[in-house]
């Protein structure tokens, strides 16, 4: 016998959801509702911007000197490997093209 699909499963949501109680626009036009200055992302004051950048940089977990040396060595070794790989593929392709056109 064929099995029937269960109709009790919840329907999948469609469309975007909005946070309840937070209207996206005003009633008279479609522009976003203005928030207070603390929540505003686009402040134009350069001094405020620099203070925010310094604040964010203080949150960064900076690598130690030893980690930087290890990371630098790994990057340089990877760079040497990739340069060698590209050179090898280029040389083989050049030999292949040369063998085709010299016959």
């Amino acid at each position: 016998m064929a099995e029937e699909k269960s109709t009790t499963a919840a329907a999948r949501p469609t469309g975007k959801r909005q946070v309840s109680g937070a209207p996206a626009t005003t009633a008279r036009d479609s522009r976003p509702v203005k928030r207070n200055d603390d929540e505003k992302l686009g402040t134009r004051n350069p001094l405020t911007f620099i203070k925010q950048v310094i604040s964010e940089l203080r949150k960064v977990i900076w690598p130690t000197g030893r980690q930087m040396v290890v990371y630098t060595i790994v990057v340089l070794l990877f760079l040497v490997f990739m340069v060698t790989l590209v050179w090898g593929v280029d040389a083989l392709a050049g030999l292949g093209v040369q063998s085709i056109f010299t016959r």
Side-chain angles (χ1 to χ4, degrees), residues 14-96:
T14 59
K16 293 183 179 181
R17 294 185 181 194
Q18 179 178 328
V19 178
S20 63
T25 58
T26 61
R28 61 187 143 86
D29 62 3
S30 63
R31 289 181 292 164
V33 175
K34 298 244 179 183
R35 305 284 182 218
N36 63 17
D37 288 340
D38 294 336
E39 294 176 351
K40 196 188 304 184
L41 295 175
T43 58
R44 301 277 181 182
N45 186 351
L47 188 59
T48 303
F49 174 75
I50 291 173
K51 287 179 181 178
Q52 290 173 347
V53 168
I54 291 171
S55 171
E56 290 299 319
L57 285 175
R58 287 190 178 134
K59 297 177 187 177
V60 173
I61 300 173
W62 296 99
T64 63
R66 182 180 176 110
Q67 287 173 328
M68 283 302 297
V69 170
V70 171
Y71 297 159
T72 303
I73 291 171
V74 168
V75 168
L76 291 176
L77 289 175
F78 182 74
L79 180 66
V80 168
F81 170 76
M82 290 304 296
V83 166
T84 306
L85 179 69
V86 170
W87 173 81
V89 169
D90 181 53
L92 288 175
L95 288 174

Side-chain angles (χ1 to χ4, degrees), residues 91-103:
L92 288 175
L95 288 174
V97 169
Q98 190 176 20
S99 71
I100 291 172
F101 288 115
T102 57
R103 288 186 182 190

